[in-house]
């Protein structure tokens, strides 16, 4: 995926979406990609623990521990710090403050955390490349009681700060509930789709589970900048997740089949 | 064009066959792609020769409401944009005010030339709409205040207001408030005490239909005099235009088009070829019994034997006659009873003394 390298891809929101399969391999990919590219990464990890991402990251060639120690990675471990919310005094704002409120307000404390984490340092510290916000994932916020509009507002403010002001990128994962009629999730997914520049959609195969082809990845570019002749382009690949990488191939061209 | 009514004029660069519709009032553009917003603005600014002598307000309506295909999520969305729309009047200089909630100003202005950009007034509701930064730069009353501020115009000339997007406003404001404000926005020239005739206000709204329920969408579309629905696949979009004139029947029109890189529209005559190919001639149904390993067909003798068979429990007239005339061939049934020592066999009929 060389299209994400280079200076043209800045200030963009990438939406990862999975339907009937697990799209977290994309999150691991982007995490290791941006860390290797020497970007400053703020990772809001609400699903898994730090050691989980670290183990997978080591297979992909990055060490999250090292990155965190030298300040390249700001890691919000949702599982651990959600407990801290209840043992803090209420005056100190916590990024996951919404867990404590009866009527879920907004995600402003979380946004403040992100902004604080990614703001450019005063001294010329190590000159990281563009800041990146990675969120895994947004659907769990709906399960925790935050409204879809509040989540959209959070991403709106993140876009305004990270994408437009700091010229960084945002990558976020949302699950597609598919047939399960989850209206809030649909509003979130549709609303984010309108705002994204790139949508990566991992789907399970329509015919079911297969050992050699784990799923299908659809890539949709929206909002072509630079007004090139290409308008919305869409590509579809099938993939197989291996131990240390993911291999992609065109539809029907799996090495197991040929 | 009556004085005192807001009118909305949306034109497309009609290369073949104009869509000539007068669109007074509010035009709602419902789409799920962002290029629409950029192209709307372009249209309001470019000068154009007057379209037709007959209609001083003749306008071509363009907006597009995109209805994404269910179940295909965002992959199949159309990058639809309204083409350039020109004011019908020869005197240009119409300003276009954009209330931008969804994209930043530089992203919105990207791709327009300077001539267009100089006439765009972008009201930035993107950077800090909810006053989270608390720097005091944000608008004091939030989104509603910003919307109401657009109602108060100082410029006496004709003005177009584009709301990007109505969906954002609908998610953050109650539907009733939004409808009332929109109504006030488009009817602001009827304020009392205003002696000079005020030029009409054009209001253009962009709505992403899939984000809202049918109630708010219906309310907003009842406010609009013109409604354009976008749908279709990439590069080949269709716009279904519904236009309600004040005392006439609403008119429908469907227009196929595609967007060129400079945001102009390429209007086409009919649906694209791929869609036409799907209307196949009726294929003969496949006979499922041709490739079986067992025989399902009957020969002629077998068919005759089958038809002449009487079913055992069917009460036909022959059976009835046979029962009524006990023939010698009939096997009568008998009961053979061997009494043992304890039985008291009485040959008399116990009902003999009954007087029935």
């Amino acid at each position: 995926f060389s299209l994400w390298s280079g200076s043209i891809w800045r200030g963009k929101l990438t939406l990862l979406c999975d339907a009937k399969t697990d799209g977290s391999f994309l999150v691991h990919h982007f995490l290791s990609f941006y860390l290797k590219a020497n970007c400053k990464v703020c990772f809001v990890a609400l699903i898994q623990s730090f050691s989980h991402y670290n183990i997978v990251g080591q297979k992909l060639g990055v060490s999250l521990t090292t990155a965190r120690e030298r300040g390249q990675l700001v890691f919000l471990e949702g599982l651990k710090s959600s407990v801290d919310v209840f043992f803090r005094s209420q005056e100190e704002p916590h990024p996951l403050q919404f867990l404590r409120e009866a009527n879920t307000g907004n995600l402003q404390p979380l946004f403040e955390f992100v902004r604080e984490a990614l703001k450019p340092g005063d001294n010329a510290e190590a000159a990281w490349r563009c800041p990146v916000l990675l969120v895994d994932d947004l659907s769990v916020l709906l399960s925790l009681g935050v409204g879809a509009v509040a989540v959209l507002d959070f991403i709106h403010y993140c876009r305004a700060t990270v994408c437009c002001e700091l010229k960084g990128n945002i990558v976020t994962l949302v699950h597609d509930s598919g047939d399960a009629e989850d209206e809030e999730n649909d509003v979130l997914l549709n609303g984010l789709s309108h705002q994204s520049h790139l949508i990566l959609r991992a789907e399970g195969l329509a015919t079911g589970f297969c050992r050699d082809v784990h799923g299908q990845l659809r890539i949709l570019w929206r909002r072509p900048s630079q007004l090139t002749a290409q308008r919305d382009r869409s590509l579809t690949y099938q993939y197989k997740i291996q131990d240390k990488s993911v291999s992609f191939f065109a539809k029907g061209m799996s090495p197991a089949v040929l | 064009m009556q004085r005192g009514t807001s009118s909305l004029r949306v034109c497309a660069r009609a290369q073949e066959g104009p869509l000539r519709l007068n669109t007074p009032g509010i035009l709602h553009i419902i789409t799920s792609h962002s290029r629409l917003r950029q192209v709307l603005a372009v249209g309001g600014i470019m000068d154009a020769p007057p379209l037709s002598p007959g209609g001083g307000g003749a306008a071509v309506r363009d907006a597009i409401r995109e209805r994404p295909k269910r179940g295909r999520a965002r992959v199949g969305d159309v990058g639809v944009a309204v083409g350039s729309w020109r004011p019908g009047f020869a005197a240009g200089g119409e300003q276009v005010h954009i209330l931008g909630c969804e994209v930043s100003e530089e992203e919105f202005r990207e791709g327009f030339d300077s001539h267009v950009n100089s006439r765009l007034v972008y009201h930035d509701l993107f950077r800090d709409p909810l006053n989270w930064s608390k720097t005091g730069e944000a608008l004091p009353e939030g989104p509603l205040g910003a919307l109401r501020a657009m109602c108060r115009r100082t410029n006496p000339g004709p003005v177009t207001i584009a709301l990007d997007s109505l969906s954002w406003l609908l998610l953050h404001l109650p539907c009733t408030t939004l409808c009332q404000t929109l109504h006030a926005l488009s009817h602001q020239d009827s304020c009392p005490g205003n002696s000079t005739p005020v030029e009409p206000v054009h209001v253009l709204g962009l709505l992403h239909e899939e984000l809202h329920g049918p109630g708010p969408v219906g309310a907003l579309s009842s406010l609009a005099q013109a409604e354009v629905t976008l749908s279709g696949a990439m590069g080949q979009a269709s716009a279904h235009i519904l236009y309600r004139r004040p005392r006439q029947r609403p008119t429908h029109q469907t227009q196929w088009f595609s967007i060129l890189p400079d945001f102009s529209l390429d209007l086409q005559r009919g649906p694209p070829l791929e869609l036409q190919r799907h209307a196949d001639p009726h294929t003969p149904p496949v006979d499922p019994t041709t490739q079986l390993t067992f025989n399902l067909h009957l020969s002629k003798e077998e068919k005759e034997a089958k038809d002449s068979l009487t079913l055992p429990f069917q009460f036909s007239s022959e059976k009835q006659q046979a029962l009524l005339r006990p023939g010698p061939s009939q096997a009568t049934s008998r009961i053979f009873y061997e009494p043992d020592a304890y039985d008291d066999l009485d040959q008399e009929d116990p009902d003999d003394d009954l007087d029935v």
Side-chain angles (χ1 to χ4, degrees):
Chain A
F1 285 139
S2 60
L3 36 95
W4 286 294
S5 61
S7 55
I8 49 166
W9 194 261
R10 293 190 64 157
K12 307 284 185 214
L13 168 64
T14 303
L15 177 66
L16 309 175
C17 168
D18 60 14
K20 291 188 188 159
T21 187
D22 184 18
S24 55
F25 71 95
L26 292 167
V27 175
H28 294 297
H29 161 78
F30 276 103
L31 179 61
S32 61
F33 172 78
Y34 280 118
L35 283 176
K36 283 186 203 165
N38 220 20
C39 295
K40 177 143 194 206
V41 177
C42 173
F43 190 9
V44 177
L46 303 170
I47 299 286
Q48 301 279 6
S49 64
F50 178 80
S51 51
H52 172 91
Y53 293 106
N54 198 18
I55 292 170
V56 181
Q58 276 167 2
K59 289 191 186 171
L60 297 175
V62 290
S63 165
L64 296 194
T65 327
T66 319
R68 189 164 63 169
E69 276 162 15
R70 58 183 187 163
Q72 189 191 6
L73 172 67
V74 178
F75 196 94
L76 175 66
E77 187 172 353
L79 292 173
K80 209 162 68 168
S81 64
S82 57
V83 186
D84 293 340
V85 178
F86 298 98
F87 294 117
R88 270 195 192 196
S89 63
Q90 220 158 356
E91 288 79 32
E92 304 168 25
H94 189 276
L96 301 179
Q97 189 74 23
F98 63 90
L99 289 172
R100 198 168 177 165
E101 291 160 12
N103 310 331
T104 47
N106 51 25
L107 292 172
Q108 186 175 355
L110 189 58
F111 163 68
E112 302 286 346
F113 170 81
V114 169
R115 192 176 60 175
E116 194 62 35
L118 288 179
K119 72 173 184 208
D122 301 323
N123 49 356
E125 50 165 38
W128 305 117
R129 283 169 81 184
C130 63
V132 174
L133 168 66
L134 197 55
V135 184
D136 180 22
D137 59 43
L138 287 177
S139 298
V140 77
L141 288 173
L142 296 179
S143 309
L144 291 171
V146 185
V149 180
V151 181
L152 285 174
D153 286 339
F154 164 67
I155 292 290
H156 179 113
Y157 269 91
C158 288
R159 263 198 315 143
T161 308
V162 178
C163 290
C164 301
E165 198 181 309
L166 301 174
K167 299 281 182 271
N169 292 336
I170 301 181
V171 180
T172 169
L173 174 67
V174 178
H175 297 295
D176 188 357
S177 53
D179 295 330
E181 296 277 340
D182 187 348
E183 288 172 8
E184 292 264 306
N185 200 39
D186 286 343
V187 168
L188 176 63
L189 182 60
N190 293 336
L192 278 181
S193 304
H194 286 299
Q195 299 174 14
S196 338
H197 300 94
L198 173 67
I199 301 177
L200 296 178
R201 196 177 151 85
E203 301 168 339
L205 294 176
T207 43
F209 178 71
C210 170
R211 198 180 47 184
D212 297 303
V213 179
H214 289 152
Q216 185 166 287
L217 185 71
R218 273 175 163 170
I219 307 173
L220 174 66
W221 279 272
R222 298 173 61 100
R223 305 194 184 187
S225 58
Q226 318 301 331
L227 285 185
T228 52
Q230 75 183 37
R231 246 164 280 136
D232 286 356
R233 272 179 50 202
S234 166
L235 290 176
T236 307
Y237 292 105
Q238 291 179 340
Y239 62 87
K240 175 177 179 172
I241 303 176
Q242 289 154 337
D243 187 44
K244 292 203 161 111
S245 66
V246 180
S247 58
F248 291 88
F249 34 86
K251 268 190 187 181
M253 306 285 278
S254 161
V257 172
L258 294 175
Chain B
M1 184 68 64
Q2 308 109 297
R3 191 193 112 180
T5 52
S6 320
S7 66
L8 176 65
R9 292 188 234 176
V10 180
C11 305
R13 198 193 313 240
Q15 284 135 359
E16 46 226 300
L19 310 169
R20 300 268 164 118
L21 299 160
N22 248 329
T23 66
I26 304 173
L27 172 64
H28 278 176
I29 298 177
I30 307 175
T31 181
S32 57
H33 188 77
S34 58
R35 277 185 71 163
L36 174 63
R37 51 176 71 92
Q38 292 173 296
V39 186
L40 287 174
V42 170
I45 284 166
M46 291 160 48
D47 289 341
L51 278 183
S52 77
V60 178
R61 185 185 343 167
D62 251 353
I64 294 157
R65 168 162 81 177
E66 181 177 70
R67 209 187 299 268
K69 297 186 261 252
R70 284 264 157 251
R72 291 207 52 199
R74 307 283 71 75
V75 178
D77 272 0
V78 180
V80 171
V82 175
S84 52
W85 35 289
R86 314 158 161 183
F89 23 71
E94 178 174 292
Q95 270 203 326
V96 180
H97 292 257
I98 317 278
L99 183 67
C101 317
E102 290 204 344
V103 292
S104 66
E105 183 168 357
E106 49 266 348
E107 201 171 338
F108 189 88
R109 287 184 186 269
E110 199 178 337
F112 295 143
D113 55 9
S114 55
H115 175 60
V116 166
N117 265 326
S118 59
R119 303 227 216 129
L120 266 184
V121 179
Y122 191 84
H123 301 260
D124 193 349
L125 205 57
F126 170 75
R127 250 176 325 123
D128 193 4
L130 306 171
N131 203 15
W132 281 7
S133 63
K134 294 196 174 34
T135 54
E137 285 174 7
L139 303 140
E141 292 163 22
L144 187 57
L147 191 56
R148 287 196 176 134
M150 316 232 350
C151 295
R152 298 183 286 272
R153 297 180 296 148
T154 51
N155 197 352
V159 136
T160 302
I161 298 176
L163 302 172
D164 172 31
S165 63
L166 268 181
S167 278
W168 193 94
L169 291 169
L170 196 54
L171 287 176
H172 291 85
L173 299 172
C175 183
T176 47
T177 317
L178 182 62
C179 289
Q180 285 164 0
T181 316
L182 280 180
H183 187 79
L185 194 61
S186 61
H187 284 79
Q188 51 184 276
D189 40 353
S190 53
C191 45
N194 199 356
S195 56
T196 56
V198 183
E199 291 281 349
V201 177
H202 309 223
V203 179
L204 198 65
L206 176 62
L207 190 69
H208 304 300
E209 194 194 29
E210 68 273 5
L211 296 180
H212 311 285
V217 173
L220 285 175
S221 58
S222 64
L223 266 185
Q225 261 86 355
E227 205 178 284
V228 180
T229 308
L230 302 175
S231 56
M234 275 170 229
Q236 301 288 345
S238 72
H240 180 79
I241 303 165
L242 170 67
Y243 174 46
R244 301 187 190 99
R245 269 168 293 199
R247 273 172 282 278
Q248 299 172 38
R249 285 168 58 198
T251 45
H252 295 255
Q253 187 165 1
T254 304
Q255 176 72 45
W256 295 85
F257 65 94
S258 61
I259 313 160
L260 304 173
D262 65 342
F263 293 124
S264 56
L265 281 188
D266 174 29
L267 298 173
Q268 290 143 11
R269 289 208 180 276
L273 287 176
E274 296 87 43
L275 286 180
Q276 283 169 355
R277 229 183 287 134
H278 286 311
D280 273 339
H282 178 65
T283 52
V286 178
D287 187 10
T289 59
T290 45
Q291 287 171 0
L292 294 170
T293 53
F294 47 90
N295 185 22
L296 276 181
H297 299 283
L298 294 173
S299 69
K300 195 153 166 285
E301 297 83 20
E302 287 169 343
K303 257 200 204 135
E304 282 172 4
K306 180 183 164 196
D307 291 337
S308 60
L309 178 68
T310 52
L311 296 172
F313 297 105
Q314 197 172 5
F315 193 70
S316 57
S317 60
E318 291 91 18
K319 237 188 185 150
Q320 189 182 22
Q321 298 302 316
L323 283 172
L324 289 175
R325 282 179 274 113
S329 60
Q330 249 195 356
T332 54
S333 60
R334 282 205 199 158
I335 301 173
F336 299 93
Y337 182 63
E338 301 283 333
D340 57 4
Y342 299 98
D343 258 344
D344 182 18
L345 263 187
D346 193 355
Q347 296 295 342
E348 286 179 0
D349 188 7
D351 297 326
D352 232 357
D353 54 356
L354 279 181
D355 195 9
V356 180

